Amino acid sequence: MARITRYSKFEGELDQLDSSELMQMIQEALLGQGMNDPYDPDPNARPSMDDLFDAILEALAERGMIPEEQLLEAMQANDVRETALGQQIERLMDKLQQDGFIRKEFGDEDGQGGAGQGGEATFQLTDKSIDFLGYKSLRDLMGGLGRSSAGAHDTREYASGIEMTGELKNYEFGDTMNLDTTATLGNVISKGFDQLEESDLVIRQAEYNSSAATVVLLDCSHSMILYGEDRFTPAKQVALALAHLIRTQYPGDTVKFVLFHDSAEEVPVGKLAQAQIGPYHTNTAGGLRLAQQLLKRENKDMKQIVMITDGKPSALTLPDGRIYKNAYGLDPYVLGATLREVANCRRSGIQINTFMLARDPELVGFVRRVSEMTRGKAYFTTPQNIGQYVLQDFMTNKTKLVN
């Protein structure tokens, strides 16, 4: 059972602030929100220790947790770090390291080890931190759905003898004999047991919970951060929440993550948390191709792709490895290659559920076509509600009766 932490209004010294509560306060900053230039994004950017200091300072100020005299001193100081408030924040950062939530690192001498100048200290999120952020994201999203916990997701099929549903049906050859004695006796008591026929037997049905393999395709093209809002950080929060949900509630399921941009690559959930947007186009076909390769390795009843994007396909990997790009309209060459990958998904029995963060008329038509081809679903969402849509869709797959 997951550990539950209850928070109340903070009344005390900042040094007494619990690391888990601090993590909750700065969770979006930890995922890199606002720490990349939207007009010149660096895919290799990593938040620095200075960014962490600023995030903690902002979080404390927003919540009114800084004593008035310390706040006044900090506002008048040339360097906040030299004030009493700055020293307390430094101690909080040290506590995050000591409690195993972050790991401090230094860039290479040539500056390629992270954001900022060569040698500037950055930080990496640990496995403990990833698990915490996934748990918090899931809990927040489930609260938005009006649920306190999640159970196993339903499937499109029923099979007698797995999990009782309360629904009754007449027995047919091949069904497990989960007899409902009351209904069966009602059918034969008036005519006598010596007249019992197969058609008199009534069984109680049960749901069949299948195993599922999911690949989450995350668009990290330039548009995901360009138009005045960060769409990528909410997408990463959804991914962390889904990973935590599957790990804790659906141990028979698998989930993998693919970033698609000019090309596509699989990333572990630990690396996904600090992935960044780059000056990229949208190679949807490349993402779908890699997702299919990953799903073919899975021996699961259900295989699905969850695609989170805000843009039309605008790039394509050519046979010789070069990247063909066209950001203006739906290029017929790019569109054709993308739809061929969609058709391959359909032939392989892979459903594509698309969560679109934009409503461009061309995009609407493209997404609807993808959904129709694979009998998937399309959702036109916003960064504020995408998490609830993704989780609701994952947990409420429709069911049907099979005999």
Side-chain angles (χ1 to χ4, degrees):
M1 175 180 267
R3 177 176 174 267
I4 297 177
T5 305
R6 290 183 173 85
Y7 299 107
S8 58
K9 183 178 180 181
F10 180 76
E11 297 178 354
E13 297 295 328
L14 294 181
D15 288 338
Q16 299 172 1
L17 191 63
D18 184 75
S19 289
S20 60
E21 186 168 2
L22 181 60
M23 287 285 293
Q24 182 185 12
M25 292 164 53
I26 61 172
Q27 57 180 317
E28 291 184 348
L30 290 170
L31 296 176
Q33 186 178 60
M35 295 184 183
N36 203 349
D37 185 348
Y39 300 104
D40 186 22
D42 177 7
N44 297 314
R46 295 294 178 269
S48 68
M49 295 300 286
D50 287 342
D51 291 326
L52 180 60
F53 182 97
D54 293 341
I56 295 174
L57 175 60
E58 182 178 350
L60 295 175
E62 286 179 349
R63 290 162 176 77
M65 298 174 66
I66 303 175
E68 187 175 346
E69 63 276 7
Q70 288 191 8
L71 185 59
L72 182 61
E73 179 192 13
M75 292 174 63
Q76 296 174 343
N78 293 326
D79 186 354
V80 177
R81 291 179 178 272
E82 296 179 355
T83 66
L85 174 60
Q87 293 171 7
Q88 286 184 311
I89 294 177
E90 293 280 4
R91 289 194 289 272
L92 289 174
M93 293 166 63
D94 290 339
K95 185 185 292 187
L96 288 178
Q97 295 183 71
Q98 294 165 7
D99 292 343
F101 284 107
I102 65 170
R103 183 175 60 253
K104 186 176 180 180
E105 297 182 345
F106 289 93
D108 300 330
E109 292 301 320
D110 59 2
Q112 295 182 1
Q117 302 299 318
E120 182 181 6
T122 62
F123 66 89
Q124 291 289 335
L125 299 178
T126 64
D127 290 343
K128 178 179 179 179
S129 185
I130 297 299
D131 185 65
F132 177 85
L133 292 174
Y135 165 67
K136 288 304 303 176
S137 297
L138 177 61
R139 186 177 176 185
D140 292 344
L141 292 173
M142 294 302 295
L145 292 174
R147 304 184 183 195
S148 58
S149 62
H153 55 112
D154 298 330
T155 70
R156 290 181 169 83
E157 297 183 330
Y158 279 74
S160 56
I162 308 299
E163 183 177 341
M164 305 305 291
T165 67
E167 296 185 40
L168 304 178
K169 69 180 288 285
N170 290 332
Y171 172 80
E172 295 181 46
F173 179 77
D175 287 339
T176 302
M177 291 292 289
N178 289 329
L179 279 181
D180 183 274
T181 54
T182 302
T184 300
L185 287 173
N187 289 338
V188 301
I189 197 168
S190 60
K191 64 180 182 180
F193 286 97
D194 57 334
Q195 300 297 318
L196 176 66
E197 299 177 354
E198 183 179 297
S199 60
D200 295 321
L201 301 177
V202 179
I203 64 169
R204 189 171 296 276
Q205 293 191 100
E207 287 187 9
Y208 171 67
N209 291 317
S210 75
S211 58
T214 301
V215 171
V216 179
L217 284 182
L218 286 175
D219 182 352
C220 61
S221 62
H222 195 178
S223 61
M224 289 286 281
I225 198 176
L226 183 60
Y227 300 114
E229 66 178 353
D230 179 0
R231 299 167 176 173
F232 193 50
T233 299
K236 288 194 290 185
Q237 287 178 305
V238 172
L240 292 177
L242 189 58
H244 191 87
L245 174 68
I246 290 175
R247 183 177 64 81
T248 57
Q249 300 293 333
Y250 309 107
D253 289 6
T254 63
V255 60
K256 295 181 179 179
F257 302 95
V258 168
L259 297 178
F260 68 103
H261 38 86
D262 286 353
S263 56
E265 70 271 353
E266 181 187 4
V267 292
V269 67
K271 297 293 185 182
L272 173 66
Q274 290 184 291
Q276 291 288 343
I277 295 297
Y280 298 131
H281 291 69
T282 309
N283 191 340
T284 309
L288 291 172
R289 188 179 307 115
L290 178 54
Q292 290 173 74
Q293 294 171 5
L294 296 174
L295 288 171
K296 285 179 181 178
R297 304 171 190 169
E298 301 289 343
N299 183 23
K300 303 293 182 183
D301 301 325
M302 297 169 56
K303 296 182 179 182
Q304 65 176 342
I305 293 172
V306 174
M307 182 165 64
I308 301 175
T309 181
D310 74 337
K312 55 186 176 292
S314 60
L316 184 65
T317 304
L318 300 175
D320 61 4
R322 291 180 298 130
I323 305 298
Y324 171 80
K325 305 173 185 176
N326 184 354
Y328 302 99
L330 279 173
D331 185 306
Y333 184 48
V334 176
L335 179 61
T338 304
L339 292 178
R340 282 194 293 274
E341 294 301 332
V342 174
N344 289 336
C345 289
R346 179 186 60 195
R347 284 191 287 270
S348 299
I350 299 171
Q351 186 181 78
I352 302 174
N353 294 329
T354 306
F355 298 84
M356 179 59 69
L357 292 165
R359 294 177 181 270
D360 209 59
E362 281 188 322
L363 283 174
V364 173
F366 167 72
V367 170
R368 285 179 175 167
R369 192 167 177 183
V370 170
S371 301
E372 290 170 359
M373 289 178 68
T374 67
R375 296 182 181 179
K377 285 167 274 187
Y379 299 88
F380 294 89
T381 68
T382 68
Q384 291 72 41
N385 64 19
I386 185 173
Q388 295 173 9
Y389 275 90
V390 171
L391 292 181
Q392 186 73 47
D393 176 76
F394 184 81
M395 294 187 297
T396 58
N397 290 319
K398 292 182 179 179
T399 62
K400 68 178 181 180
L401 293 173
V402 294
N403 296 323

